[in-house]
Amino acid sequence: MSTENTNESISTPREQDIPDQQLRENYEQLMEEVRHHRTAYYQNDAPEISDAEFDNLFRRLEDLEALHPEIVSNDSPTQEVGGDVSSAFAPVEHLARMYSLEDVFSLDELRTWFHRAAGSLQQIRPGVKPSWLAEVKIDGLAINLLYRDGELVRAATRGDGVTGEDVTHNVLTIEDIPTTLTGDDIPAEVEVRGEIFMRTQDFRDFNAQRAEAGLPPFANPRNAAAGSLRQKDPEQTAQRPLTMFVHGIGAQQGLSVGSQHEAYEQLAAWGLPTSPYSVLVPGDTDIEPESSAPLAKLLDFIAERGEQRHDLIHEIDGIVIKVDDFGLQAQLGHTSRTPRWAVAYKYPPEEVHTRLLDIKVNVGRTGRVTPYAVMEPVLVAGSTVSMATLHNQDVVRAKNVKIGDTVVLRKAGDVIPEIVGPVLPLREQHERDGELRDFVMPTHCPSCGEPLAPAKEGDVDLRCLNAHRCPAQLTGRIEHAGSRGAFDIEALGEEAATWLTNGPGEDPAENHGHVQPAGEGVITADAQLFDLAADGDEELKQRLAEVRVWREKRSKGQGTGKWELVPYFYTKATAKTPSKPTANTVKLFDELEKAKSQPLWRVLVALSIRHVGPTAARALAGAFGSLPQLQATALDEENGRQRLSDVDGVGPTIADAVSEWFRDEVNRTTVERWAAAGVRMEDEMDESVAKTLEGLTVVVTGSLQNYTRDSAKEAIISRGGKASGSVSKKTDFVVAGENAGSKLDKAESLGLTVLDEDGFTALLKNGPSGVDEGSV
């Protein structure tokens, strides 16, 4: 933008330096928003937004101040530590200030921080090779314990860093915190800094107890710990499963340790609980950008703990990295709110807040009716999520969620979206606005209209018992048959199964853009699946040309809101080319033909017998060898159930399900039709495979070059071994590939025999006696 050189367009330098009014208003509004959410988090223990959203908000404020330093206010939240002090507890001044940590949110930011800190140390002490200490960042409540002559005399929250809340009486109820230090060299005075938290399992149990008592669950362990510590009645705190790990020292008199790791050793010797999740990285090489050995080891620790974060005893949200030497820490110093010698790397957020728009129900392949949440799309743990299962009506009740709530969403194990619970501080506002309604479980199947009922007395789940005429169940079974654990048909996924078994339904434009299949499709029964194989029923395959599905019209890559019916399994005919099967449809025909030769256990999984997954199917296939023999056993009224139950890995529940399934005439017809189509009904005994692993339990973890997860299991089972998914004292061998993770750690801690891939191959071939020691 240019201005003419006229008197009207010329401003004085002083006027140019004053930011416009809109900028100041934006800044004030952003500061107020950060203050509001900081108070909700630190003081009220009732956050209204997720940690990730607060981090983004705070960073926006920092970025705005960096761009316009002339508007920075002395009372900006960026200049302060933690939150305000609650009036519910007496204020107490810390002997030494408690600081916050600088946060970084990417590995590139961490590298920048590391090289900046290392470069500053080189300027201070040329040639220094500093050691670094890395530890997990506990998602808890910061606490400051003051010991005088070994006796605990005061406990205070961090507060604003200078003044905290006196919670001594409550802390005295926490069993893991010693009231008297033991051992040698106890100083006259020392402030011990740490984090109070709830173990993950304790938190789950605690929330379950609250649900049973009709109380709302806590959204996460941090809120539960903070709320428990701030109880006005210490007896209430005593009933909460709180614990603590210490992670630093404040003011002290008479303590002679020179580094962070030495301090941890000394604190542990006095009886204070220290974290088992830390590592000392020696400064054994010169600091060189991108090739620093210490940095590489720190990044390895971050990756390793990131993979194991759900296996730890408590929740974490990142890794803290510190300069280990206290002298170097002192020389690097602090900013107004953070130490320059420490940083917190935060993993991508696993918990976010979003709006619960609706709760609908899904009918699965076995008739189970499952509520699921429909939410405003939100990014969590690297992917956009808009739906999450709610399991059953009791879970909806226990989670205390209502349609219209703002809810806490997380990904369990970085994979499965899960609603934790509502953001209660926002519920009152939603209620005032008339935006909330309770979920009511339907009484009839939304797919076929039949009444819903438990399969048997005492079941929590409701089911549609119309197994063979319910369209949703048929769709689920056809999709399941093509899944990786069954016939493994890549061209038969959810969408293909839907359009094989359903009609297109109503125009989505009349249904808010939601595609709702309805009516009868080409396949009307499980028995017809292999009629679509390459050598199958040509008339049925030709009917696929008639299948039409709704697709939204697009213009310049954007949806128009207008929909049209287009062929799904065939191409669209033009003036020059007739309609013909798509490449994916031809692939479906061919893969169905190949699926006929799959081993018996995969056929059993594909039949959708309740409770029969790959593990039970392998056990049944191994015990009976053929589907006719299994069917005859299942229908044997006198001894069948017992013979099924006696199979290792089956038991009474699966035995009952198998017997019940084969008693159904429609199911037996499916088996007959599949057999007539050429589907393999028995396993050929391979006498050449020696039972080298008879009676042995083997766990495979990580990625192997020459084995998939399924083929490794097959190799173990076919040789008489048990392929287990968990490591225990009863495990005979653990095979560790790339990125083995926590199972390898557990195996080493138990002193088990660990093999690499070559060792695994030798074990399969020769058994335990033939394992080359060099492969262990």
Side-chain angles (χ1 to χ4, degrees):
M1 182 179 68
S2 62
T3 57
E4 296 177 1
N5 190 13
T6 65
N7 289 335
E8 287 82 8
S9 64
I10 295 176
S11 301
T12 66
R14 182 178 177 81
E15 290 172 332
Q16 289 175 341
D17 288 342
I18 297 176
D20 62 56
Q21 186 62 27
Q22 185 62 52
L23 175 63
R24 285 194 177 279
E25 289 177 0
N26 291 345
Y27 177 60
E28 292 290 340
Q29 183 178 349
L30 191 54
M31 278 200 300
E32 188 57 36
E33 196 172 354
V34 170
R35 287 193 193 103
H36 171 78
H37 290 298
R38 189 181 64 177
T39 299
Y41 182 89
Y42 286 108
Q43 186 171 331
N44 300 335
D45 305 317
E48 297 173 6
I49 59 175
S50 68
D51 286 357
E53 290 168 308
F54 180 79
D55 288 338
N56 288 334
L57 199 64
F58 195 88
R59 182 160 273 203
R60 278 176 53 201
L61 182 61
E62 289 181 315
D63 291 345
L64 185 61
E65 292 180 342
L67 287 171
H68 300 280
E70 69 277 8
I71 67 172
V72 176
S73 171
N74 290 333
D75 65 347
S76 168
T78 64
Q79 311 302 306
E80 301 168 355
V81 175
D84 298 326
V85 178
S86 169
S87 59
F89 296 90
V92 56
E93 192 168 325
H94 305 305
L95 302 184
R97 183 173 181 177
M98 296 181 72
Y99 288 86
S100 294
L101 290 173
E102 178 183 350
D103 293 328
V104 295
F105 299 90
S106 71
L107 296 180
D108 284 341
E109 287 182 303
L110 177 64
R111 292 185 182 98
T112 298
W113 177 89
F114 179 87
H115 292 304
R116 184 176 70 238
S120 297
L121 288 173
Q122 289 297 314
Q123 293 179 355
I124 295 168
R125 284 195 206 171
V128 68
K129 298 177 181 180
S131 294
W132 307 80
L133 190 125
E135 59 195 27
V136 299
K137 186 176 185 294
I138 304 170
D139 195 12
L141 180 73
I143 197 75
N144 186 32
L145 308 177
L146 176 61
Y147 287 90
R148 289 197 175 111
D149 296 323
E151 298 294 327
L152 179 61
V153 297
R154 191 173 70 199
T157 63
R158 180 172 60 186
D160 62 6
V162 175
T163 304
E165 301 153 322
D166 190 333
V167 290
T168 307
H169 292 299
N170 291 356
V171 165
L172 288 172
T173 69
I174 301 174
E175 188 175 344
D176 288 346
I177 299 177
T179 57
T180 303
L181 302 181
T182 58
D184 302 324
D185 302 321
I186 294 174
E189 187 173 74
V190 61
E191 284 183 314
V192 177
R193 272 77 191 268
E195 204 83 7
I196 288 179
F197 63 93
M198 280 188 186
R199 296 179 178 89
T200 305
Q201 188 57 54
D202 290 342
F203 170 70
R204 293 189 185 120
D205 295 342
F206 178 58
N207 256 355
Q209 292 169 8
R210 289 179 65 85
E212 288 177 8
L215 298 172
F218 280 102
N220 54 55
R222 193 268 169 198
N223 287 355
S228 298
L229 191 64
R230 288 193 171 106
Q231 292 292 308
K232 293 182 179 180
D233 183 358
E235 290 186 6
Q236 291 294 318
T237 302
Q239 296 173 16
R240 310 288 179 89
L242 298 176
T243 188
M244 185 190 81
F245 283 153
V246 298
H247 55 56
I249 293 175
Q252 54 85 17
Q253 294 179 20
L255 178 62
S256 57
V257 290
S259 67
Q260 193 78 35
H261 81 275
E262 290 175 358
Y264 285 174
E265 292 171 355
Q266 182 63 78
L267 291 168
W270 290 336
L272 287 157
T274 55
S275 173
Y277 308 122
S278 65
V279 64
L280 178 66
V281 177
D284 52 3
T285 62
D286 291 328
I287 302 297
E288 293 294 337
E290 303 304 325
S291 62
S292 163
L295 178 57
K297 290 178 181 177
L298 293 171
L299 294 176
D300 286 345
F301 182 80
I302 288 171
E304 178 185 358
R305 288 305 178 202
E307 292 173 4
Q308 300 169 357
R309 61 189 298 186
H310 297 290
D311 298 326
L312 308 185
I313 65 173
H314 55 67
E315 293 288 336
I316 67 171
D317 63 357
I319 298 295
V320 177
I321 295 172
K322 306 173 182 176
V323 174
D324 186 51
D325 184 87
F326 284 159
L328 295 178
Q329 288 183 9
Q331 288 184 294
L332 283 175
H334 301 76
T335 68
S336 62
R337 58 183 297 271
T338 64
R340 293 190 177 93
W341 44 265
V343 72
Y345 166 78
K346 287 201 168 185
Y347 291 115
E350 289 189 303
E351 283 194 356
V352 295
H353 290 184
T354 188
R355 195 75 182 274
L356 178 59
L357 303 177
D358 202 356
I359 298 178
K360 298 185 177 183
V361 295
N362 175 62
V363 183
R365 61 188 173 91
T366 63
R368 180 186 176 195
V369 180
T370 305
Y372 66 93
V374 179
M375 300 164 293
E376 288 183 351
V378 63
L379 185 67
V380 55
S383 63
T384 300
V385 174
S386 61
M387 291 189 292
T389 182
L390 287 165
H391 303 289
N392 57 55
Q393 66 273 24
D394 286 358
V395 171
V396 176
R397 194 178 303 115
K399 289 183 181 290
N400 187 31
V401 291
K402 297 184 179 185
I403 298 167
D405 264 329
T406 298
V407 295
V408 179
L409 177 72
R410 72 177 172 202
K411 274 195 177 179
D414 293 321
V415 178
I416 304 170
E418 173 191 17
I419 286 181
V420 180
V423 181
L424 291 175
L426 296 181
R427 172 167 286 181
E428 186 177 342
Q429 175 188 328
H430 293 323
E431 286 178 334
R432 281 199 307 268
D433 295 340
E435 299 170 332
L436 298 185
R437 58 189 172 94
D438 292 323
F439 167 69
V440 179
M441 191 73 176
T443 58
H444 289 71
C445 176
S447 180
C448 67
E450 289 294 308
L452 302 179
K456 61 179 184 294
E457 188 176 349
D459 276 3
V460 174
D461 297 326
L462 295 179
R463 293 181 183 273
C464 172
L465 304 181
N466 184 26
H468 302 303
R469 295 184 180 276
C470 177
Q473 292 185 60
L474 175 61
T475 300
R477 289 195 298 270
I478 296 299
E479 179 191 352
H480 175 72
S483 66
R484 196 176 80 171
F487 285 126
D488 196 14
I489 301 171
E490 186 179 340
L492 184 54
E494 179 183 5
E495 191 173 52
T498 298
W499 300 120
L500 281 173
T501 57
N502 288 272
E506 298 177 356
D507 186 343
E510 305 297 324
N511 194 23
H512 306 290
H514 182 62
V515 178
Q516 184 64 53
E520 197 170 86
V522 172
I523 290 183
T524 58
D526 309 63
Q528 292 180 282
L529 178 61
F530 285 95
D531 293 345
L532 294 175
D535 293 335
D537 186 330
E538 289 299 326
E539 183 179 344
L540 186 68
K541 290 160 65 176
Q542 284 296 324
R543 285 188 57 198
L544 294 179
E546 303 168 10
V547 175
R548 297 286 189 273
V549 302
W550 288 106
R551 293 285 190 235
E552 187 176 13
K553 293 181 179 180
R554 306 186 74 79
S555 175
K556 298 180 181 180
Q558 301 296 317
T560 63
K562 298 179 179 179
W563 298 73
E564 62 178 337
L565 282 170
V566 297
Y568 180 80
F569 292 102
Y570 273 58
T571 61
K572 195 173 184 178
T574 67
K576 294 183 178 180
T577 59
S579 177
K580 63 180 182 179
T582 66
N584 211 49
T585 301
V586 173
K587 186 177 183 180
L588 173 64
F589 298 156
D590 293 341
E591 288 193 354
L592 276 166
E593 193 66 36
K594 292 176 184 176
K596 295 177 183 180
S597 60
Q598 289 280 26
L600 177 59
W601 73 266
R602 287 186 176 274
V603 179
L604 289 174
V605 173
L607 288 171
S608 282
I609 304 171
R610 192 176 173 195
H611 303 306
V612 177
T615 300
R618 285 188 176 99
L620 290 167
F624 296 99
S626 75
L627 220 157
Q629 183 60 47
L630 176 61
Q631 177 174 312
T633 303
L635 295 177
D636 181 352
E637 295 288 347
E638 186 175 346
N639 300 312
R641 182 181 179 280
Q642 188 59 51
R643 289 179 60 194
L644 290 168
S645 297
D646 287 343
V647 175
D648 184 30
V650 177
T653 300
I654 296 177
D656 287 343
V658 172
S659 296
E660 181 181 346
W661 193 89
F662 278 104
R663 282 196 291 269
D664 188 307
E665 184 179 353
V666 175
N667 291 336
R668 295 198 301 274
T669 299
T670 297
V671 173
E672 292 168 6
R673 288 277 297 273
W674 285 12
V679 176
R680 181 174 174 176
M681 291 287 132
E682 62 180 322
D683 282 336
E684 298 175 6
M685 298 300 293
D686 188 352
E687 300 296 338
S688 65
V689 178
K691 301 298 182 183
T692 52
L693 304 183
E694 196 77 56
L696 298 178
T697 299
V698 182
V699 174
V700 178
T701 179
S703 302
L704 303 178
Q705 288 188 349
N706 299 310
Y707 301 87
T708 64
R709 181 172 297 182
D710 284 339
S711 68
K713 282 186 177 180
E714 290 280 2
I716 295 165
I717 293 168
S718 66
R719 288 161 176 80
K722 179 181 178 181
S724 177
S726 58
V727 176
S728 71
K729 292 180 180 179
K730 296 182 179 180
T731 303
D732 295 289
F733 293 95
V734 174
V735 180
E738 292 291 324
N739 302 315
S742 59
K743 291 180 183 178
L744 176 58
D745 290 343
K746 187 170 183 179
E748 291 173 341
S749 69
L750 293 173
L752 302 178
T753 303
V754 179
L755 305 178
D756 59 13
E757 187 166 350
D758 291 338
F760 179 47
T761 302
L763 177 69
L764 295 173
K765 182 178 181 181
N766 303 312
S769 60
V771 174
D772 181 1
E773 289 298 324
S775 297
V776 178

